Amino acid sequence: APSTNDLRNYTWYIYTTNPGNNTNATPLVSIDQISRTGSSGNRTYYNKNDVQISGVSPDDTLYIRYSISYNQYYTAYFVASFKLSDAVKGQVTLNFEQVWN
């Protein structure tokens, strides 16, 4: 993503399968539904008690996606995966891969 984009302004979605660039993929939850508790530098902190996801197992891999639309023809999707049990234990590093429509 261009360095001029503040990723805190985008809606992030969490899925149970890799959504790729599928615009019809149904997310479990969106990150903008989670209340922000503040920010410091380039980090935004969220209230960890607000995240409630049901119907998944700790062994499941979840996928997080956000998108940037450049015009009506091009949207870039960025997808990363993480194991739910790792996220419950603590901070995870997300490695996003870009998928074009």
Side-chain angles (χ1 to χ4, degrees):
S3 59
T4 55
N5 284 313
D6 186 339
L7 297 180
R8 291 171 290 185
N9 296 331
Y10 292 86
T11 302
W12 299 56
Y13 295 95
I14 297 176
Y15 301 84
T16 54
T17 58
N18 189 337
N21 61 2
N22 181 357
T23 57
N24 295 318
T26 304
L28 280 171
V29 66
S30 66
I31 298 292
D32 67 347
Q33 296 168 349
I34 301 168
S35 64
R36 299 177 183 190
T37 57
S39 60
S40 174
N42 64 349
R43 292 182 177 221
T44 301
Y45 298 92
Y46 295 91
N47 182 344
K48 61 185 177 182
N49 298 322
D50 284 344
V51 184
Q52 295 185 11
I53 300 175
S54 59
V56 293
S57 160
D59 294 328
D60 286 350
T61 296
L62 296 181
Y63 299 83
I64 187 166
R65 178 176 80 175
Y66 70 94
S67 61
I68 298 175
S69 294
Y70 293 96
N71 56 44
Q72 69 263 38
Y73 303 110
Y74 297 104
T75 299
Y77 296 92
F78 300 88
V79 180
S81 63
F82 62 95
K83 194 168 182 181
L84 183 55
S85 57
D86 292 339
V88 170
K89 291 175 193 168
Q91 183 173 321
V92 292
T93 299
L94 299 174
N95 294 308
F96 285 90
E97 292 188 13
Q98 182 174 350
V99 183
W100 287 88
N101 66 339

